Amino acid sequence: MALFAIFQTTFFLTLLSLRTYQSEVLAERLPLTPVSLKVSTNSTRQSLHLQWTVHNLPYHQELKMVFQIQISRIETSNVIWVGNYSTTVKWNQVLHWSWESELPLECATHFVRIKSVVDDAKFPEPNFWSNWSSWEEVSVQDSTGQDILFVFPKDKLVEEGTNVTICYVSRNIQNNVSCYLEGKQIHGEQLDPHVTAFNLNSVPFIRNKGTNIYCEASQGNVSEGMKGIVLFVSKVLEEPKDFSCETEDFKTLHCTWDPGTDTALGWSKQPSQSYTLFESFSGEKKLCTHKNWCNWQITQDSQETYNFTLIAENYLRKRSVNILFNLTHRVYLMNPFSVNFENVNATNAIMTWKVHSMRNNFTYLCQIELHGEGKMMQYNVSVKVNGEYFLSELEPATEYMARVRCADASHFWKWSEWSGQNFTTLEAAPSEAPDVWRIVNLEPGNHTVTLFWKPLSKLHANGKILFYNVVVENLDKPSRSELHSIPAPANSTKLILDRCSYQICVTANNSVGASPASVIVISADPENKEVEEERIAGTEGGFSLSWKPQPGDVIGYVVDWCDHTQDVLGDFQWKNVGPNTTSTVISTDAFRPGVRYDFRIYGLSTKRIACLLEKKTGYSQELAPSDNPHVLVDTLTSHSFTLSWKDYSTESQPGFIQGYHVYLKSKARQCHPRFEKAVLSDGSECCKYKIDNPEEKALIVDNLKPESFYEFFITPFTSAGEGPSATFTKVTTPDEHSSMLIHILLPMVFCVLLIMVMCYLKSQWIKETCYPDIPDPYKSSILSLIKFKENPHLIIMNVSDCIPDAIEVVSKPEGTKIQFLGTRKSLTETELTKPNYLYLLPTEKNHSGPGPCICFENLTYNQAASDSGSCGHVPVSPKAPSMLGLMTSPENVLKALEKNYINSLGEIPAGETSLNYVSQLASPMFGDKDSLPTNPVEPPHCSEYKMQMAVSLRLALPPPTENSSLSSITLLDPGEHYC
């Protein structure tokens, strides 16, 4: 026992001595100072990388130590960061630590130092910090080059929303430097005379090709240089959404997810985020080649539970999401196939399909959707491999679309894709009678009935309507009926019936059969009572109609309507109303503003005879008149005028005409009685008169001033407003006395015209009575008789011996002057009792000696004188020697006369002259009667009848020469004449 106690005491003393020795050894070496500190830079990440060692550590011992790191900028006294770094230090171990700078390292010089302390439980407290290591200086500016301006950092990559610090370094402190972010100037903090820093908070994403920042150095107005950088701002990497995995065949898992925003940047600065699929139970990993889906091969082992982690990663961060599932609960079936329809009829069909086999005894839940006629019906059915379903209660002649999808019935995950097909049921006979109405027009002896029917809806037609049968049965003579077949798609027909009662049945027919009949009765004596038309006002919702109930039993009412101004057949519509209803609302998209509609309300008796109850007319929305009347100005006086527009039609207007506004302007700008002042749309003032009666289409504007200028304009108005603006018509009132002059002058002018007309008519009567037309000498018998009346005593002269100037007919009872123009002498006749003769007298002034002249009797008027041959010579007075001589011989004259006579009958050769007619009432042809000679030669008495002849101008009037002048040809008495 004592030995044990001695041994225990010896052990404790030895242990205590060893502990005391270790403590003394460590105490002598503590604190441990870091040595061999080295600092390097990473410009891409803008970080400082430190490495150091700790000497004097016991061999093969590990100590927990804390290192305090201090970083200064620009100068050692400017400490910008202090922090501790804890780690376990081994003997002779090189330690590493990094620090990322907010300010680009190129912008300033940095200083780093470090100290340490042992923080190990094996050593008692207290522990002491070691001394600081010496400062390590880090400067990157020396490697930037010799340019005068630099901007840092270069091509920095940051995430949207982070804070970024940039700076510029200017070699010349005299330069003025301005910096801009995307063209907008920014302001910073000057770190030293050469460096200025800019803090950009929450930088936004602008474009995937980076954000532009540049600085410009200048002295005065002279630019010294420009430098810039591109700051690459990435979208924030999002966590994948809707991560899910499923299988179609238990061979492959198909995983999908929503990747969110793509973080790729331009210039290959950062690619799109990558996705990695990791399964924790198997420890397998797969890098996905697509950014929103990835396939995972299922092994043939018995693994049914999977734990997947999807990792999204880019240069700046990582995101991950996890799912855990059982494989049998994530079955997504392939869509069914071989969809068919069997035994299709008008109302039924059988649908069949197949599904892809998965495992033995696998049960599928299938869903069927049936679409048709705007409806959708849904059915569920469980199947093994092949599916079948009976579709009933279908509509005839209807196209349906049926589709099916399936899912796992044991563990429902999701439906498969749809598989479907269309089919059409067969036709059936129409199930409803057509809606029929009529318009009856009474004509003498018959009825003209226009039948209308509405097409059956597709639901009731049960197929394509081919034709309509119209059966007309005479109720007064039941054995007589007519069948009219109207091909579709016609919806009306016209029937001409006599004054008997008729029953009309209309059926619609398709390829299967006919519809029920629609019956309407036309009475033999329709009630034609006059119904007053009532005006109604429509609204945006249509027309609200009400009527008094018809006395007696009725089976219903019919309201029909049409456009007031168009053909009834164009837009005729009707509506059936029940027997207990006396009001309805007619609402349709066909109603247009400004169009007038006429409504008629009929009551239907139990015998299906229609009786007109009421008439209504109105507009769904009234508009202002579309045109103005054409105004005529009547009864214009000095104090008034009348305006009328009788031809203006109010029926075709887009509203009920309530009256007219008459606008009047005058220079006086004073309104007349009944007029009031008004201001037009152009701001001008005028006078306005309102006519409230639309049928009053005339107005007398009175109390006007004479010789005054007025302007007027007339426009109709409805409840919606006035008609269109137009130009004013100008009217000027006449003078007060002008009307009196008109009242006096018009009757005078009328009387004068009447007297002139009467005088003209009277003068025609006098001329025809007293002065009949002289016969044509060419038709006279003188030409045939003159050759038998030749006077043997006449002396024939050559034509060249006597050239006549004129032919003059003289026939005066007394004191007649006969002028010879060639000699300026005249003969006075005191008594005419014998026929006149025609003398051809010479006109040569140097002619002398007596000689006969040619005379012709007017045998047409004096046959007796012609028979007596009273034509002789009279001695020529010596005072008139120039009047002697004959122009030509009688034979030549006769020949000329005969030739002209023959030529007058159409045988005159070209170039011959014709005969000139000499009137028996001829007067002197040339000269003045008062200039006749004062001592005329008195011719002998002649007959009361005058001579008449035709003389050839070729013989009697040869063309004048220089030595000749015109001669006179004078008719003298046959008994007393001179040659």
Side-chain angles (χ1 to χ4, degrees):
M1 188 71 181
L3 184 61
F4 176 75
I6 293 172
F7 176 78
Q8 185 178 11
T9 304
T10 302
F11 175 77
F12 280 112
L13 289 175
T14 303
L15 181 63
L16 180 60
S17 299
L18 181 63
R19 186 179 183 89
T20 303
Y21 171 78
Q22 185 178 12
S23 299
E24 289 176 355
V25 171
L26 291 177
E28 291 177 358
R29 297 183 180 180
L30 292 179
L32 302 177
T33 303
V35 293
S36 301
L37 177 63
K38 295 180 180 179
V39 181
S40 61
T41 60
N42 186 339
S43 298
T44 302
R45 300 181 62 88
Q46 293 295 320
S47 62
L48 297 177
H49 183 71
L50 282 67
Q51 66 178 23
W52 69 94
T53 60
V54 178
H55 288 189
N56 301 326
L57 273 178
Y59 182 70
H60 296 309
Q61 279 196 348
E62 294 182 358
L63 292 179
K64 291 182 180 180
M65 298 185 66
V66 176
F67 298 93
Q68 188 175 81
I69 303 169
Q70 194 175 73
I71 301 175
S72 298
R73 182 176 292 161
I74 302 176
E75 54 187 27
T76 57
S77 60
N78 183 24
V79 178
I80 61 170
W81 188 88
V82 176
N84 294 333
Y85 170 61
S86 299
T87 185
T88 300
V89 182
K90 296 180 181 180
W91 178 80
N92 207 23
Q93 179 184 0
V94 178
L95 300 177
H96 299 273
W97 179 82
S98 294
W99 174 77
E100 188 172 343
S101 173
E102 294 180 356
L103 180 70
L105 299 178
E106 296 87 350
C107 296
T109 302
H110 291 77
F111 300 91
V112 179
R113 67 178 180 176
I114 188 171
K115 67 179 180 178
S116 62
V117 66
V118 176
D119 186 20
D120 199 308
K122 293 181 293 184
F123 297 96
E125 299 289 342
N127 294 323
F128 299 95
W129 286 97
S130 68
N131 295 326
W132 287 103
S133 66
S134 60
W135 287 102
E136 287 292 328
E137 180 179 353
V138 180
S139 178
V140 190
Q141 293 184 3
D142 297 337
S143 61
T144 56
Q146 300 300 321
D147 291 342
I148 62 172
L149 182 65
F150 300 93
V151 181
F152 299 104
K154 301 288 186 182
D155 301 334
K156 186 176 181 62
L157 175 63
V158 296
E159 201 171 51
E160 182 182 17
T162 58
N163 298 330
V164 179
T165 301
I166 66 171
C167 70
Y168 72 82
V169 178
S170 177
R171 302 290 190 188
N172 188 351
I173 63 175
Q174 302 299 326
N175 289 339
N176 181 22
V177 181
S178 299
C179 294
Y180 301 88
L181 172 65
E182 288 293 325
K184 183 178 180 181
Q185 188 173 1
I186 54 177
H187 302 279
E189 177 185 359
Q190 188 176 19
L191 302 181
D192 63 28
H194 297 277
V195 180
T196 300
F198 301 88
N199 295 320
L200 306 179
N201 298 323
S202 298
V203 291
F205 173 84
I206 297 178
R207 66 181 70 89
N208 61 359
K209 291 186 178 181
T211 302
N212 297 320
I213 302 173
Y214 66 93
C215 297
E216 183 179 10
S218 61
Q219 286 189 6
N221 295 327
V222 179
S223 176
E224 295 292 333
M226 180 184 297
K227 291 290 183 177
I229 61 171
V230 177
L231 180 65
F232 289 93
V233 181
S234 169
K235 285 282 188 179
V236 177
L237 179 64
E238 299 178 6
E239 183 180 280
K241 302 179 182 64
D242 302 327
F243 180 41
S244 173
C245 295
E246 59 196 15
T247 182
E248 290 182 343
D249 53 5
F250 289 96
K251 296 179 181 180
T252 303
L253 273 172
H254 181 68
C255 299
T256 59
W257 60 89
D258 180 8
T261 305
D262 190 357
T263 61
L265 295 176
W267 314 113
S268 300
K269 188 64 179 178
Q270 176 177 264
S272 297
Q273 61 266 34
S274 63
Y275 292 90
T276 303
L277 200 59
F278 174 73
E279 204 283 310
S280 61
F281 292 133
S282 63
E284 294 182 5
K285 181 184 293 185
K286 181 179 181 179
L287 180 63
C288 300
T289 57
H290 302 277
K291 66 178 183 179
N292 61 345
W293 65 271
C294 191
N295 286 335
W296 184 278
Q297 294 298 321
I298 299 175
T299 61
Q300 298 300 323
D301 57 16
S302 59
Q303 181 180 354
E304 290 189 355
T305 303
Y306 290 84
N307 185 7
F308 281 107
T309 300
L310 179 65
I311 303 170
E313 183 179 4
N314 65 6
Y315 289 170
L316 298 175
R317 71 170 64 227
K318 291 183 179 181
R319 299 278 190 176
S320 64
V321 64
N322 180 266
I323 57 171
L324 175 67
F325 62 90
N326 189 295
L327 183 62
T328 58
H329 297 176
R330 294 295 179 98
V331 178
Y332 176 64
L333 296 180
M334 289 184 284
N335 54 308
F337 62 99
S338 298
V339 179
N340 292 306
F341 298 92
E342 301 173 356
N343 301 331
V344 179
N345 56 32
T347 56
N348 302 316
I350 296 176
M351 180 180 179
T352 62
W353 68 93
K354 295 181 180 181
V355 293
H356 294 274
S357 178
M358 298 288 292
R359 289 180 177 179
N360 295 332
N361 300 321
F362 204 89
T363 303
Y364 304 95
L365 175 65
C366 295
Q367 186 178 74
I368 299 171
E369 278 188 0
L370 184 65
H371 297 264
E373 294 297 313
K375 300 178 182 178
M376 190 275 287
M377 293 166 283
Q378 194 174 85
Y379 313 97
N380 292 331
V381 58
S382 295
V383 299
K384 290 294 185 180
V385 177
N386 298 329
E388 180 179 296
Y389 192 80
F390 180 73
L391 301 173
S392 60
E393 298 181 358
L394 304 178
E395 297 295 336
T398 303
E399 182 178 5
Y400 288 93
M401 191 279 290
R403 60 180 186 173
V404 60
R405 61 182 179 178
C406 298
D408 182 6
S410 301
H411 305 283
F412 182 85
W413 164 240
K414 63 170 62 174
W415 291 108
S416 70
E417 295 296 327
W418 289 102
S419 294
Q421 192 172 343
N422 294 353
F423 71 98
T424 303
T425 55
L426 302 180
E427 290 189 357
S431 59
E432 187 173 290
D435 186 3
V436 180
W437 191 235
R438 87 294 178 273
I439 295 177
V440 180
N441 293 323
L442 299 181
E443 297 179 0
N446 56 44
H447 296 156
T448 299
V449 179
T450 304
L451 283 179
F452 299 89
W453 56 84
K454 295 179 180 179
L456 293 176
S457 65
K458 191 175 181 180
L459 177 65
H460 298 119
N462 293 337
K464 182 180 180 181
I465 300 300
L466 302 178
F467 58 91
Y468 296 88
N469 281 338
V470 179
V471 179
V472 182
E473 181 182 357
N474 192 325
L475 298 180
D476 297 335
K477 301 175 182 179
S479 60
R480 296 180 56 186
S481 63
E482 297 179 0
L483 172 63
H484 303 270
S485 183
I486 312 299
N491 62 349
S492 65
T493 187
K494 184 174 290 187
L495 303 173
I496 299 178
L497 309 176
D498 56 20
R499 289 299 181 93
C500 297
S501 296
Y502 285 88
Q503 177 179 282
I504 302 175
C505 299
V506 181
T507 59
N509 297 262
N510 60 12
S511 61
V512 177
S515 69
S518 182
V519 180
I520 194 167
V521 176
I522 306 299
S523 175
D525 298 317
E527 185 178 355
N528 288 326
K529 66 178 182 179
E530 292 294 332
V531 178
E532 184 178 355
E533 188 175 65
E534 177 187 355
R535 288 186 177 182
I536 58 175
T539 61
E540 294 182 358
F543 291 88
S544 180
L545 305 177
S546 62
W547 58 89
K548 296 180 180 179
Q550 182 181 6
D553 295 335
V554 294
I555 62 173
Y557 298 93
V558 177
V559 180
D560 66 23
W561 67 91
C562 64
D563 189 336
H564 178 77
T565 59
Q566 295 183 357
D567 184 11
V568 173
L569 301 179
D571 62 345
F572 184 72
Q573 298 290 331
W574 67 94
K575 179 180 180 180
N576 295 303
V577 183
N580 299 323
T581 304
T582 57
S583 64
T584 186
V585 175
I586 307 298
S587 178
T588 174
D589 294 336
F591 289 145
R592 294 167 294 160
V595 178
R596 181 176 173 182
Y597 296 93
D598 294 336
F599 298 86
R600 292 177 297 184
I601 303 172
Y602 293 86
L604 289 178
S605 66
T606 54
K607 296 181 179 181
R608 305 196 66 83
I609 299 176
C611 176
L612 179 62
L613 302 180
E614 295 183 16
K615 288 183 179 180
K616 300 178 185 293
T617 184
Y619 297 83
S620 61
Q621 180 183 350
E622 289 193 54
L623 303 178
S626 58
D627 58 354
N628 296 318
H630 177 66
V631 182
L632 300 176
V633 180
D634 301 327
T635 318
L636 178 62
T637 66
S638 57
H639 294 282
S640 67
F641 56 82
T642 302
L643 304 177
S644 63
W645 53 98
K646 303 295 183 183
D647 297 334
Y648 184 68
S649 174
T650 59
E651 294 295 320
S652 59
Q653 296 300 319
F656 291 117
I657 300 299
Q658 299 180 354
Y660 304 92
H661 287 157
V662 181
Y663 294 95
L664 185 66
K665 288 183 180 180
S666 63
K667 292 184 178 180
R669 294 187 179 181
Q670 293 182 354
C671 293
H672 300 75
R674 302 181 299 167
F675 284 80
E676 59 182 10
K677 285 190 176 181
V679 179
L680 299 177
S681 58
D682 59 356
S684 59
E685 295 183 356
C686 65
C687 299
K688 174 182 175 181
Y689 177 72
K690 182 178 181 181
I691 300 177
D692 293 325
N693 183 7
E695 300 302 324
E696 183 179 341
K697 300 180 181 180
L699 176 67
I700 299 176
V701 182
D702 51 10
N703 297 323
L704 305 179
K705 295 180 180 180
E707 296 184 285
S708 297
F709 178 76
Y710 295 92
E711 293 179 280
F712 69 87
F713 166 59
I714 297 179
T715 180
F717 64 89
T718 65
S719 61
E722 292 183 344
S725 301
T727 57
F728 280 72
T729 303
K730 301 176 182 179
V731 177
T732 302
T733 55
D735 187 9
E736 285 185 294
H737 305 291
S738 61
S739 59
M740 298 176 60
L741 293 176
I742 291 175
H743 291 317
I744 296 174
L745 291 177
L746 284 179
M748 293 179 62
V749 170
F750 177 75
C751 293
V752 170
L753 290 176
L754 181 61
I755 293 172
M756 291 176 64
V757 171
M758 293 180 64
C759 290
Y760 175 76
L761 296 176
K762 193 68 175 177
S763 64
Q764 291 293 327
W765 176 79
I766 294 173
K767 179 180 178 182
E768 292 176 358
T769 304
C770 301
Y771 303 100
D773 292 337
I774 300 173
D776 191 348
Y778 291 113
K779 300 179 181 179
S780 176
S781 59
I782 182 61
L783 297 178
S784 61
L785 299 176
I786 193 169
K787 59 184 177 178
F788 301 106
K789 300 300 180 179
E790 296 178 356
N791 194 336
H793 303 287
L794 295 176
I795 299 174
I796 303 303
M797 298 180 64
N798 295 327
V799 177
S800 60
D801 296 336
C802 180
I803 299 176
D805 286 335
I807 298 176
E808 190 174 38
V809 178
V810 179
S811 177
K812 295 184 180 180
E814 56 184 6
T816 303
K817 296 181 180 180
I818 302 173
Q819 178 182 356
F820 296 95
L821 299 178
T823 58
R824 305 297 296 171
K825 296 182 180 180
S826 64
L827 300 175
T828 303
E829 181 183 0
T830 60
E831 182 180 358
L832 292 176
T833 58
K834 297 179 181 181
N836 293 336
Y837 284 80
L838 172 64
Y839 292 89
L840 302 180
L841 306 180
T843 59
E844 296 181 2
K845 296 182 179 181
N846 57 358
H847 180 78
S848 62
C853 64
I854 303 173
C855 78
F856 299 92
E857 297 178 347
N858 191 343
L859 302 181
T860 304
Y861 291 95
N862 191 357
Q863 188 66 32
S866 175
D867 294 338
S868 63
S870 57
C871 182
H873 297 280
V874 179
V876 181
S877 174
K879 297 180 181 180
S882 63
M883 299 171 63
L884 302 177
L886 288 175
M887 294 171 56
T888 185
S889 63
E891 289 82 5
N892 293 335
V893 175
L894 290 176
K895 290 179 181 179
L897 293 174
E898 290 176 359
K899 184 176 182 180
N900 283 322
Y901 174 73
I902 294 171
N903 290 339
S904 67
L905 299 177
E907 300 177 0
I908 301 176
E912 294 288 346
T913 58
S914 61
L915 297 176
N916 281 353
Y917 173 70
V918 182
S919 174
Q920 62 180 345
L921 299 177
S923 58
M925 296 176 62
F926 300 95
D928 192 355
K929 293 189 296 180
D930 297 334
S931 63
L932 295 175
T934 56
N935 299 319
V937 179
E938 296 182 2
H941 295 286
C942 296
S943 170
E944 295 178 356
Y945 297 96
K946 302 173 184 178
M947 299 296 293
Q948 176 175 297
M949 69 168 294
V951 181
S952 173
L953 294 177
R954 180 182 178 192
L955 298 176
L957 299 173
T961 62
E962 295 178 0
N963 299 325
S964 65
S965 60
L966 293 175
S967 302
S968 298
I969 302 174
T970 310
L971 291 176
L972 303 178
D973 291 337
E976 297 176 359
H977 60 275
Y978 298 92
C979 294

